[in-house]
């Protein structure tokens, strides 16, 4: 008995998971489900502790930590992830996907496998594609009736090259800040605007300061549940299958929770007086983004995927 319990105790591996969101957020709840399924599917040999609210560091740092195998599991937005795996940049191009269904049509198929292969080469093993939703601009100090009203604004962006490029093309000033610093920056008027999906706009409290949303859905992009290649290489084939199944199941849960949270976030912020202006015609904004399309179309690491998405 004693020998048995010692053997199982020593065979237990504790893993750390990085997460940027708070409790109750779809990403957090799906990661917790992933952790409990891994534990269950491996007979308790793997235990994952989810560290939420970016307590282990901001996202660019966590991307590097995961790549180096210093954390084992994480959930990343495709913006910061694409700085470590440039082949992913195609996924962040504005107006590429019309909505999440269009995006998952590709990601749940061959294209998802191709992106996952690129990520694996860069140190990240994808176990599930989560929904990053559609991102729109919102401002504290101005009402936006056209994308031209964003010109000259200081717009907070993720610490990611493609977002910086996008905002420059709007003739605005990109201010790259960690997620947790955005509310303070809006309050202190060191930025005028930010952009995000509705669940993050609501969960962070940005809506309390930024009351004007310009609904562009300019980026519809995925997020990825990943484990380090270091952890992956240490798993037996049976444990790999157990982790993969847990990842797929957690992504299914995430997407369900996401759709509900988008609806409830819009309801909450509307009650709090947020005004939405819907973009009437995206064509002028798309034209403004054309240098980005040109750049990534000419780039051999993104071209083939872009052509596949554009063609379907
Ligand atoms: C949220 C993403 C999160 C990003 C954040 C941001 O889920 O990963 O860090 O946006 O804008 O929607 O920084």
């Amino acid at each position: 008995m004693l020998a048995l319990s010692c053997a199982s105790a020593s065979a237990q591996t504790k893993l750390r998971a990085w997460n940027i969101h708070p409790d109750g957020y779809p990403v957090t709840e799906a990661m917790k489900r992933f952790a409990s399924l891994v534990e269950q599917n491996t007979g308790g040999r793997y235990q994952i502790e989810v560290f939420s609210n970016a307590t282990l560091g901001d996202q660019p740092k966590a991307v590097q930590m995961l790549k180096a195998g210093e954390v084992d599991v994480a959930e990343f937005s495709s913006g910061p992830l694409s700085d470590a795996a440039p082949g992913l940049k195609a996924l962040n191009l504005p107006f590429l996907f019309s909505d999440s269904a269009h995006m998952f049509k590709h990601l749940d198929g061959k294209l998802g496998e191709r992106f996952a292969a690129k990520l694996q080469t860069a140190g990240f093993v994808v176990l599930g594609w989560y929904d990053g939703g559609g991102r729109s601009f919102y401002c504290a100090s101005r009402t936006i009736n056209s994308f031209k009203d964003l010109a000259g604004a200081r717009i907070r962006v993720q610490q990611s090259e493609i977002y910086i490029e996008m905002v420059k093309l709007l003739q605005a000033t990109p201010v790259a800040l960690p997620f947790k610093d955005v509310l303070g920056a809006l309050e202190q008027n060191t930025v005028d605007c930010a952009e995000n999906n509705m669940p993050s706009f609501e969960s962070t409290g940005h809506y309390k300061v930024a009351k004007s949303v310009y609904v562009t859905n300019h980026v519809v992009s995925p997020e990825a549940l990943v484990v380090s290649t270091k952890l992956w290489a240490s798993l037996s084939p049976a444990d790999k299958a157990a982790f993969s199944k847990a990842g797929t199941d957690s992504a299914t849960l995430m997407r369900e929770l996401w759709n509900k949270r988008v609806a409830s976030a819009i309801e909450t912020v509307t009650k709090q007086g947020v005004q939405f202006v819907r973009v009437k015609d995206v064509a002028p904004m798309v034209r403004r983004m054309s240098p980005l399309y040109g750049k990534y179309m000419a780039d051999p690491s993104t071209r083939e995927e872009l052509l596949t998405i554009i063609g379907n």
Side-chain angles (χ1 to χ4, degrees):
M1 268 293 278
L2 186 66
L4 261 180
S5 65
C6 284
S8 67
S10 65
Q12 189 178 73
T13 306
K14 289 194 189 301
L15 304 174
R16 295 194 309 159
W18 178 92
N19 168 37
I20 205 164
H21 294 289
D23 270 352
Y25 196 86
V27 169
T28 312
E29 297 314 304
M31 288 184 84
K32 286 189 197 157
R33 175 70 64 87
F34 173 72
S36 72
L37 288 173
V38 164
E39 190 169 343
Q40 195 179 307
N41 297 351
T42 62
R45 284 177 295 104
Y46 286 91
Q47 272 197 347
I48 301 173
E49 186 174 355
V50 180
F51 292 84
S52 297
N53 294 310
T55 45
L56 297 179
D58 70 9
Q59 190 152 185
K61 180 177 169 210
V63 166
Q64 292 310 321
M65 284 167 77
L66 195 291
K67 191 177 162 79
E70 291 161 17
V71 288
D72 311 288
V73 183
E75 198 273 354
F76 293 132
S77 171
S78 49
L81 202 49
S82 69
D83 292 306
L88 232 69
K89 288 221 161 114
L91 287 175
N92 298 300
L93 275 180
F95 306 110
L96 183 66
F97 295 118
S98 43
D99 54 23
S100 299
H102 180 210
M103 172 176 79
F104 286 130
K105 188 181 104 187
H106 287 290
L107 282 180
D108 291 337
K110 286 262 169 305
L111 207 61
E113 285 168 23
R114 290 225 301 263
F115 283 118
K118 288 183 180 203
L119 276 166
Q120 186 146 359
T121 314
F124 310 85
V125 179
V126 179
L127 295 186
W129 292 111
Y130 284 14
D131 200 344
R135 298 177 75 104
S136 291
F137 292 97
Y138 44 85
C139 299
S141 49
R142 49 180 89 196
T143 303
I144 311 295
N145 291 306
S146 142
F147 78 93
K148 295 197 174 127
D149 296 334
L150 292 166
R154 296 159 301 167
I155 305 180
R156 180 272 170 174
V157 287
Q158 296 188 72
Q159 301 136 289
S160 169
E161 189 197 347
I162 193 154
Y163 280 88
I164 294 172
E165 293 174 318
M166 199 184 303
V167 164
K168 282 188 182 156
L169 288 172
L170 295 170
Q171 290 167 355
T173 306
V175 181
L177 285 178
F179 192 39
K180 65 172 173 40
D181 296 344
V182 185
L183 179 60
L186 285 165
E187 281 168 346
Q188 286 148 33
N189 193 26
T190 53
V191 298
D192 304 298
C193 311
E195 53 83 57
N196 219 312
N197 52 52
M198 289 300 104
S200 281
F201 176 54
E202 182 255 332
S203 70
T204 51
H206 294 176
Y207 71 91
K208 293 178 185 160
V209 192
K211 296 282 183 195
S212 167
V213 179
Y214 188 48
V215 186
T216 49
N217 289 315
H218 53 275
V219 173
V220 173
S221 67
E223 306 205 348
L225 176 73
V226 290
V227 300
S228 69
T229 42
K230 185 175 160 200
L231 167 67
W232 194 245
S234 74
L235 299 178
S236 68
D239 286 341
K240 282 190 171 119
F243 273 67
S244 292
K245 174 85 174 71
T248 307
D249 291 352
S250 81
T252 304
L253 172 70
M254 192 280 168
R255 296 180 197 181
E256 284 166 21
L257 294 175
W258 183 256
N259 293 333
K260 290 186 191 141
R261 185 65 179 245
V262 170
S264 69
I266 292 173
E267 200 185 314
T268 303
V269 303
T270 304
K271 279 191 192 137
Q272 298 298 319
V274 167
Q275 301 285 327
F276 294 90
V277 174
R278 290 182 186 280
V279 66
K280 286 182 203 75
D281 177 13
V282 288
M285 214 170 155
V286 171
R287 277 197 294 277
R288 188 62 84 72
M289 294 295 140
S290 64
L292 268 185
Y293 306 126
K295 177 175 169 186
Y296 290 103
M297 220 34 149
D299 182 339
S301 71
T302 42
R303 183 183 161 78
E304 210 182 312
E305 283 81 8
L306 278 179
L307 285 173
T308 309
I309 296 166
I310 291 164
N312 292 271

